[in-house]
Amino acid sequence: MSAFSALLRREFSLAFGRGGGPLLALAFYACVTSLAPLAAGRAPETLAAVAPGLAWLALALASLLSLERLFERDYEDGALDLLALGPIPLELTCATKCLAQWLATGAPLALAAPIAAIALGAPVSLAPLTVLAALIGGLSFAFLGGLGASLSLGSRRGGMLVAVIVLPLFTPPVIFGAGALWAFGEGLPWASGLLLLGGYTAAAVALAPIGMAAACRNALS
Amino acid sequence: MITAVQIDALALRRGERLLFERFDLTLRTGDAVALTGRNGAGKTSLLRAVAGLIRPEAGSVRFEGATGALEAETARAEGLHLMGHHDGLKSGRTAREELQFQGQWTGAKAEAVDQAIETMQLTRLLDIEVRRLSAGQRRRLALARLVASPRALWLLDEPLAPLDSEQRARFGDLMARHLADGGLILAAVHDPLPVQTREAQIA
């Protein structure tokens, strides 16, 4: 247990520093969401209609930012050997890394998501659901992103590769999350979208660590 | 605790290339073995295979404890230290943070970590970021976990390379003490170690 908490603390502090940590992710998020209206046209009603979706899409992109280095640093400096030989299973170690990534960047982004959505013209009443969906979706982004990061270990230009591996896997959470927000805005039943998002996230949290550990073992051998 | 390591007819392959085959070696408590061989012969790979990071092409690595054969996975997780040529330290964190993490991760007690700081003469380096340390200082910091968390089998890959002559002598004393306490050392080296060793050549 002390090994687990030591790892979580280490990963959290590394995630805070990695690629600028939450500040850079937030700045990127702000840039993307303020570019969107310039591209989509200035008419408030068109913008308001797509606001939750845009905020959600920008969230998926911002989650990608610091993923590249999630395993790469440990691989390069030899720390991955130490982690692989550690007292807890490698699957749990990988899951801990993703959890720390989510705590350090996913959670701050989730808090910024409703601000972005409202700034784009979404109704204020949508804010609580936006935070909730972004928290749940962010967790699946972190775990799927970790899977992409571990699979791209040892390749040059890993960052682009991570994006190409991960973005297709981001499709379901983007559909379910944006769908729930849209349905809420239209006054339709929205719970099913949120439940599907939760189900997909649960599957990602359960299955991605197996893939991550296998990819790490493969990279180390 | 590991009291013997038995390597039987080990063959390792990296990609298409067969590094070596039919390699046998037995290490018992108190033994230090210096692995020698030309560059690329497979010294590092052998150490990583013993640590379980590389799957052998053929042959086996077995661990024995005082009461008989040990389960390999447990023996590896609790009974060995692997010190590769990378130090496994994070450049952006301070020496203290890294040392504390490595101590907790390998199950060292807090007093043992303090003791290791003294033994490895790290007190003055503790608040410095790892990136500002010299290669020798980094190596000392990495070796501190061997001191802080007592484990029987040390797998060392060129452990002395970045150390100066004084530190080499100090680490020699540590290795001698480790062997006297019943430890086992398997080290890949080019220069002889400052302790009594057997030599095992990888052809």
Side-chain angles (χ1 to χ4, degrees), chain A residues 6 13 74 77 81-82 87 220, chain B residues 48 51 53 88 90 93 104-105:
Chain A
S13 89
D74 284 332
D77 65 20
D81 288 351
L82 188 63
L220 286 175
Chain B
R48 296 175 69 80
L53 295 172
K90 284 277 160 290
R93 306 223 305 156
Q104 284 167 331
W105 187 246

Side-chain angles (χ1 to χ4, degrees), chain B residues 32-34 156 159-160 171-172 175 185-189 191-197:
Chain B
V33 170
L156 310 172
L160 303 179
F171 188 60
M175 285 195 283
I185 296 177
L186 181 60
V189 291
D191 308 322
L193 288 174
V195 286
Q196 188 73 37
T197 53

Side-chain angles (χ1 to χ4, degrees), chain B:
Chain B
M1 174 159 146
I2 299 175
T3 56
V5 182
Q6 183 131 21
I7 302 173
D8 280 323
L10 196 71
L12 287 184
R13 182 184 289 280
R14 309 299 284 138
E16 294 295 300
R17 206 160 62 91
L18 189 66
L19 290 175
F20 55 79
E21 54 186 343
R22 288 194 281 281
F23 180 83
D24 299 301
L25 180 68
T26 307
L27 251 93
R28 295 194 187 289
T29 171
D31 273 357
V33 170
L35 286 173
T36 56
R38 62 189 158 71
N39 293 132
K43 301 188 290 292
T44 299
S45 300
L46 175 62
L47 292 177
R48 296 175 69 80
V50 173
L53 295 172
I54 295 181
R55 199 190 302 253
E57 175 83 358
S60 66
V61 179
R62 283 188 307 237
F63 300 92
E64 279 169 34
T67 54
L70 294 174
E71 212 248 311
E73 203 163 317
T74 334
R76 282 168 174 145
E78 292 164 7
L80 67 78
H81 279 299
L82 171 67
M83 185 76 246
H85 32 202
H86 296 296
D87 296 308
L89 300 165
K90 284 277 160 290
S91 55
R93 306 223 305 156
T94 65
R96 187 194 306 277
E97 288 170 330
E98 280 300 279
L99 195 56
Q100 273 168 353
F101 167 70
Q102 297 204 341
Q104 284 167 331
W105 187 246
T106 52
K109 296 191 182 69
E111 311 87 73
V113 173
D114 293 341
Q115 186 66 45
I117 290 170
E118 218 154 282
T119 313
M120 300 308 292
Q121 299 179 309
L122 296 168
T123 317
R124 283 175 46 236
L125 309 177
L126 284 179
D127 293 316
I128 303 177
E129 278 188 11
V130 169
R131 75 173 95 236
R132 304 198 188 284
L133 299 178
S134 76
Q137 289 171 328
R138 251 179 258 177
R139 179 52 54 93
R140 263 156 62 204
L141 181 60
L143 287 171
R145 74 166 185 265
L146 275 59
V147 181
S149 146
R151 292 182 172 189
L153 176 60
W154 289 3
L155 302 172
L156 310 172
D157 196 354
E158 292 286 351
L160 303 179
L163 298 181
D164 63 28
S165 54
E166 187 202 331
Q167 293 296 340
R168 284 181 185 209
R170 288 180 68 87
F171 188 60
D173 293 344
L174 284 175
M175 285 195 283
R177 210 186 308 158
H178 178 64
L179 294 171
D181 289 345
L184 307 85
I185 296 177
L186 181 60
V189 291
H190 288 294
D191 308 322
L193 288 174
V195 286
Q196 188 73 37
T197 53
R198 267 193 297 141
E199 198 169 297
Q201 175 106 24
I202 298 184

